[in-house]
């Protein structure tokens, strides 16, 4: 594939009714390669009329999709997974060119995407409700799981394909149509990925590019029925508020500020490699990155030396070369991380590794949005760097004197997405997994995901769950059905009420009659009508 031709073909399009078409909008925004800062294409900031047409198509397609058998939907989704595998090399290269991540990480993202689709293809047909023990003899009581309708998916750029599929695969398996509004920094890759859905009913999966206004229109549109959002807290709040106006169900996957605890029983060399990965994977642009390192004083010096040594080995450069770390997604993010670092230093933190843009890059990468893996010490809990999300390659390390202190610091946060602890002590494992307030806890296994297990946060990190069986339920309504096959009269509670069962006033005119005044332990009918 010639990528210049492909990027030119995708530029300015939307994916509607099963194909790429030119957007009707003449407003476009440049797409830059973050490794070189060179323009590689543009995406359309779509017109709001285009949103209306897209929503109409989605609702039409959804009715057709839901009318199929569960087995047919499952087969179609398995075909999507096969198609993803066929497209993955091309999409992965585009993903690296547009977001900067090393090609290996892009290829992994595509692979995880395919397994998630296969997983939901089966889960979606496993059960669409359950039969209940009836509350009336001779009746059938059961629940039916039904789709929401048209689901709007709004995304960030750090895992644009994986995060899309975690929601879209579950939503489609549940019988919904999907409209995705990708991040402004991953629009062309998402448009390319849409080819995985070419064989589904036209309009079932669609992609509209643009900024916040396009997302906001999709969210508040009266004919969209649910919103799955992944991104920052502020946008998540705005979306949750807009949805509240219509009681529209929402899944909010927002920011994280995960702790990474190291205890003395951990193998320190492994914990240091794990910390390096947790801190700098995807240049720290992972919602579950390690962002606050709490290290026990007994192993602090040993761990810090090993952490620095491991991080020093990381190779920085273009994601299409043999590197471990690529550039950040865009200049604005790199500049923001520089501000976070400057503020931390101003508040007393010391840089022991990195701390600036790399100086030794080849000429063609000089303008790229790179920042060195950076480790900080002398960090105090009240500093802003520990209180806010970093979402970049900065790793603040704090010395603690006990597990209790580490857990207290972990929980002293507005966020509650995930947390990692390195220990081999069973008591510490039990304590950490019970006491840490977060959606996920990893013990010696940082940042892992599992298609079959729920992913999501607590506190300001979000509400609702994706992945696993819970992630399917997120995109379904439950309908209760009760059937009396004989259509019999339900005299045990219908009109007319019998006189025997109506309220009987106590015989107040004869207060000495103890039987009539206060003995409610006996059935009224028996006591009043002897
Ligand atoms: P962002 O909130 O700025 O943007 C996310 C998306 O929302 C974009 O597509 C944007 O165009 C859209 N948007 C903006 N305003 C909108 C509005 N008013 N209505 C509807 N849509 C609107 O987030 P970002 O900076 O692109 O992403 C980084 C954040 O995402 C980080 O905080 C990170 O932790 C978080 N994240 C969370 C998870 C998770 O699963 N919890 C996963 C990945 C990233």
């Amino acid at each position: 594939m010639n990528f210049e031709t492909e990027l030119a073909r995708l530029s300015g399009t939307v994916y509607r009714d099963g194909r790429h078409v030119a957007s009707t909008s003449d407003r476009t925004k440049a797409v830059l390669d973050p490794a070189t800062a060179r323009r590689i294409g543009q995406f359309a900031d779509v017109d709001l009329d285009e949103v209306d047409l897209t929503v109409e198509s989605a609702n039409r397609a959804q009715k057709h999709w839901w009318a199929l058998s569960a087995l047919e939907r499952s087969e179609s989704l398995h075909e999507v997974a096969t198609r993803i595998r066929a497209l993955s090399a091309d999409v992965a290269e585009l993903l690296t060119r547009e977001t900067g991540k090393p090609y290996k990480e892009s290829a992994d993202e595509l692979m995880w995407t395919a397994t998630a689709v296969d997983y939901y293809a089966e889960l979606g047909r496993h059960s669409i409700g359950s039969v209940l023990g009836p509350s009336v003899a001779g009746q059938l009581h059961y629940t039916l799981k039904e789709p929401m309708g048209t689901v709007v998916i709004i995304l960030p750029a750090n895992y644009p394909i994986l995060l899309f599929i975690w929601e879209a695969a579950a939503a489609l398996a549940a019988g919904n149509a999907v409209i995705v509004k990708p991040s402004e920094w991953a629009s062309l890759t998402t448009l390319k990925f849409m080819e995985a859905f070419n064989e589904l009913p036209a309009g079932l999966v669609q992609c509209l590019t643009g900024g916040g206004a396009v997302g906001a229109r999709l969210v508040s549109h009266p004919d969209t029925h649910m919103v799955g959002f992944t991104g920052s807290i502020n946008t998540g709040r705005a979306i949750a508020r807009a949805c509240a106006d219509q009681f529209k169900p929402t899944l909010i996957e927002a920011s994280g500020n995960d702790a990474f605890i190291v205890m003395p029983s951990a193998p320190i060399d492994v914990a240091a490699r794990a910390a390096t990965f947790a801190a700098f994977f995807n240049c720290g642009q992972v919602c579950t990155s390690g962002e606050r390192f709490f290290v026990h004083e007994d192993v602090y010096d040993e761990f810090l030396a090993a952490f620095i040594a491991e991080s020093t080995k990381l190779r920085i450069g273009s994601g299409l070369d043999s590197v471990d770390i690529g550039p950040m997604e865009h200049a604005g993010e790199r500049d923001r991380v520089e501000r976070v670092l400057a503020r931390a230093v101003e508040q007393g933190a010391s840089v022991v590794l990195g701390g600036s843009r790399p100086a030794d890059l080849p000429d063609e990468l000089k303008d790229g949005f790179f920042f060195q893996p950076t480790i900080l010490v002398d960090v105090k809990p009240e500093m802003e760097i520990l209180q806010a999300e970093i979402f970049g390659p900065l790793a603040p390390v704090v010395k603690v004197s006990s597990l209790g202190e580490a857990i207290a610091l972990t929980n002293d946060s507005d966020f509650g997405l995930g947390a990692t602890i390195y220990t081999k002590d069973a008591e510490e494992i039990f304590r950490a997994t019970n006491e840490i307030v977060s959606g996920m806890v990893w013990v010696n296994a940082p940042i892992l995901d599992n298609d079959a297990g729920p992913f999501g946060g607590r506190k300001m990190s979000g509400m609702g769950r994706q992945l696993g069986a819970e992630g399917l339920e997120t995109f379904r309504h439950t309908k209760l059905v009760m059937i009396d096959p004989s259509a019999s009269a339900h005299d045990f509670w219908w009109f007319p009420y019998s006189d025997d069962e109506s309220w009987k006033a106590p015989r107040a005119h004869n207060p000495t009659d103890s039987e009539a005044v206060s003995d409610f332990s006996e059935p009224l009918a028996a006591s009043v009508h002897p």
Side-chain angles (χ1 to χ4, degrees):
M1 173 178 287
N2 177 323
F3 277 87
E4 280 175 13
T5 318
E6 189 60 4
L7 288 165
R9 179 182 76 86
L10 294 166
S11 286
T13 67
V14 293
Y15 185 79
R16 275 190 33 217
D17 284 323
R19 60 206 176 95
H20 292 108
V21 292
S23 167
T24 54
S25 165
D26 53 10
R27 288 181 315 278
T28 57
K29 289 191 178 157
V31 175
L32 306 184
D33 176 344
T36 61
R38 273 203 302 269
R39 185 184 177 116
I40 55 171
Q42 72 266 356
F43 68 87
D45 190 17
V46 307
D47 287 325
L48 298 188
D49 292 354
E50 242 169 325
V51 174
D52 294 349
L53 290 174
T54 307
V55 171
E56 245 177 76
S57 303
N59 283 319
R60 248 193 329 269
Q62 189 273 329
K63 288 185 179 59
H64 173 62
W65 181 240
W66 184 234
L68 298 177
S69 72
L71 179 59
E72 285 168 312
R73 280 194 296 276
S74 169
E75 283 174 335
S76 294
L77 289 176
H78 281 305
E79 280 162 20
V80 168
T82 303
R83 184 110 182 98
I84 289 173
R85 291 186 175 96
L87 282 169
S88 63
D90 288 346
V91 178
E93 185 175 339
L94 209 50
L95 183 54
T96 291
R97 288 178 187 273
E98 193 173 16
T99 67
K101 64 176 68 177
Y103 180 79
K104 186 241 186 300
E105 292 182 14
S106 296
D108 282 353
E109 182 168 345
L110 268 292
M111 180 178 68
W112 302 330
T113 298
T115 61
V117 174
D118 276 331
Y119 171 75
Y120 276 118
E122 288 307 309
L123 203 65
R125 74 191 176 103
H126 178 66
S127 159
I128 59 160
S130 58
V131 179
L132 316 168
S135 52
V136 179
Q139 296 195 359
L140 176 61
H141 294 178
Y142 60 96
T143 59
L144 271 183
K145 297 291 181 178
E146 295 184 340
M148 299 282 176
T150 290
V151 175
V152 172
I153 298 179
I154 296 185
L155 296 170
N158 62 337
Y159 289 91
I161 305 302
L162 186 69
L163 295 172
F164 168 62
I165 275 299
W166 280 4
E167 296 186 12
L172 291 168
N176 299 283
V178 160
I179 301 172
V180 57
K181 207 299 282 171
S183 162
E184 295 87 324
W185 288 277
S187 295
L188 297 183
T189 309
T190 311
L191 281 167
K192 173 71 183 166
F193 184 68
M194 291 295 111
E195 288 170 19
F197 306 100
N198 278 349
E199 304 305 320
L200 292 184
L204 193 69
V205 177
Q206 302 181 97
C207 174
L208 292 180
T209 58
V214 176
R217 174 66 185 157
L218 282 163
V219 166
S220 62
H221 198 291
D223 296 323
T224 62
H225 308 104
M226 181 182 168
V227 177
F229 167 76
T230 310
S232 66
I233 290 177
N234 283 344
T235 311
R237 251 198 210 118
I239 288 176
R241 284 193 185 117
C243 287
D245 279 345
Q246 302 173 35
F247 294 150
K248 198 176 280 189
T250 41
L251 167 68
I252 303 287
E253 296 283 356
S255 316
N257 188 15
D258 288 10
F260 188 111
I261 300 171
V262 183
M263 297 302 292
S265 66
I268 296 304
D269 52 340
V270 177
R273 284 191 62 201
T276 305
F277 187 67
F280 304 125
F281 178 42
N282 197 17
C283 213
Q285 300 165 118
V286 186
C287 54
T288 49
S289 288
E291 299 212 345
R292 298 178 292 152
F293 292 81
F294 300 125
V295 182
H296 194 277
E297 59 193 7
D298 291 356
V299 289
Y300 178 86
D301 291 341
E302 185 190 351
F303 171 81
L304 185 63
F307 188 19
I308 293 171
E310 287 298 331
S311 303
T312 305
K313 295 179 196 164
L314 299 176
R315 298 157 299 169
I316 308 178
S318 160
L320 295 175
D321 290 330
S322 292
V323 297
D324 305 301
I325 308 247
M328 298 200 66
E329 285 160 7
H330 58 92
E333 278 299 283
R334 192 261 323 271
D335 297 350
R336 185 188 56 75
V337 160
E338 286 178 334
R339 287 195 298 276
V340 171
L341 177 61
R343 180 73 181 133
V345 170
E346 187 185 305
Q347 291 187 313
S350 314
V351 173
V352 290
L353 181 76
S356 61
R357 302 178 188 188
D360 52 353
L361 290 170
D363 275 354
E364 69 270 21
L365 303 181
K366 288 276 186 239
D367 295 327
F369 312 134
F370 296 93
F371 200 81
Q372 289 179 315
T374 296
I375 298 176
L376 296 126
V377 296
D378 301 327
V379 183
K380 302 279 174 298
E382 60 282 3
M383 287 183 185
E384 285 165 32
I385 193 165
L386 287 192
Q387 295 299 327
E389 183 187 44
I390 297 172
F391 209 62
L394 310 182
V397 186
V398 180
K399 191 189 286 185
V400 294
S401 55
S402 66
L403 179 62
E405 185 186 356
I407 292 175
L409 288 170
T410 298
N411 289 339
D412 178 22
S413 168
D414 292 339
F415 305 90
L417 192 53
T420 292
I421 178 166
Y422 262 80
T423 176
K424 283 189 157 181
D425 181 312
E427 228 176 296
E428 287 174 356
I429 293 172
F430 269 66
R431 214 180 139 191
T433 52
N434 285 322
E435 292 180 22
I436 290 175
V437 182
S438 65
M440 283 99 43
V441 178
W442 294 280
V443 180
N444 308 328
I447 327 192
L448 271 183
D449 299 319
N450 181 346
D451 298 337
F455 181 100
R458 286 161 72 166
K459 300 196 264 182
M460 293 312 289
S461 290
M463 57 182 184
R465 289 292 179 269
Q466 51 192 344
L467 290 187
E470 286 174 61
L472 183 67
E473 291 312 303
T474 297
F475 296 96
R476 285 167 149 180
H477 282 300
T478 303
K479 180 185 275 175
L480 176 65
V481 181
M482 297 177 153
I483 299 176
D484 180 351
S486 61
S488 57
H490 292 188
D491 286 330
F492 57 88
W493 75 317
W494 284 2
F495 301 135
Y497 297 144
S498 80
D499 291 347
D500 286 357
E501 290 178 289
S502 54
W503 186 73
K504 302 295 179 297
R507 281 193 236 154
H509 63 277
N510 185 6
T512 60
D513 184 343
S514 59
E515 177 195 26
V517 171
S518 59
D519 188 3
F520 291 106
S521 62
E522 292 296 317
L524 271 179
S527 60
V528 178
H529 299 287

